[in-house]
Amino acid sequence: MILEAVIGSHAYGLATRSSDVDRRGVFVAPTEAFWRLEKPATSVEGPSPEQLSWEVEHFCRLALKSNPTVLETLVSPLVEICTPLGEELRALLPAFLSRYAVRAYTRATEMQLTRAGRTGSARS
């Protein structure tokens, strides 16, 4: 593991009692894992609930597509693990930002607003 951070409401002081703790991380698969015909797993869940870690190559591909969760992992103020390679990865944030970020964040915001609308109408 080269980088692990808490994201979401806990990272920004917006958590409530019912908020879960979302952790995201980046790992480097051992070189031997690439010697096979199949590549290693691109992501791994756990061991904690709500924890997901990406293999660094996959993480970078998602970052280049401006995946909001991936980019949030790079800027989270609650970093739990950060090796020198993790620091290098966090420093690459400007290289991952592009016009795709506008589209990705617009879609993510629209999804959240739609979800919030459904939740709000269910309470009424």
Side-chain angles (χ1 to χ4, degrees), residues 41-82:
T42 57
S43 62
V44 177
E45 291 189 36
S48 302
E50 303 301 325
Q51 181 175 2
L52 176 70
S53 299
W54 296 281
E55 196 279 325
V56 68
E57 177 187 4
H58 186 64
F59 180 88
C60 290
R61 285 185 181 177
L62 293 171
L64 286 168
K65 293 178 183 177
S66 298
N67 178 294
T69 306
V70 165
L71 296 179
E72 183 180 2
T73 303
L74 293 175
V75 299
S76 174
L78 288 180
V79 177
E80 297 182 327
I81 297 171
C82 194

Side-chain angles (χ1 to χ4, degrees), residues 15-122:
T16 64
R17 279 190 209 150
S18 62
S19 297
D20 52 9
V21 179
D22 298 308
R23 286 186 172 80
R24 298 295 178 266
V26 183
F27 66 92
V28 176
T31 303
E32 298 82 24
F34 290 93
W35 294 348
R36 300 182 190 110
L37 293 176
E38 296 175 7
K39 280 189 162 189
T42 57
S43 62
V44 177
E45 291 189 36
S48 302
E50 303 301 325
Q51 181 175 2
L52 176 70
S53 299
W54 296 281
E55 196 279 325
V56 68
E57 177 187 4
H58 186 64
F59 180 88
C60 290
R61 285 185 181 177
L62 293 171
L64 286 168
K65 293 178 183 177
S66 298
N67 178 294
T69 306
V70 165
L71 296 179
E72 183 180 2
T73 303
L74 293 175
V75 299
S76 174
L78 288 180
V79 177
E80 297 182 327
I81 297 171
C82 194
T83 67
L85 285 175
E87 288 289 342
E88 285 185 45
L89 192 58
R90 284 173 59 98
L92 286 174
L93 176 66
F96 292 130
L97 299 177
S98 69
R99 66 179 184 265
Y100 298 114
V102 174
R103 282 187 253 160
Y105 278 89
T106 299
R107 274 194 313 266
T109 301
E110 288 170 348
M111 287 173 48
Q112 290 295 328
L113 290 172
T114 300
R115 248 187 253 157
R118 275 189 255 140
T119 303
S121 62

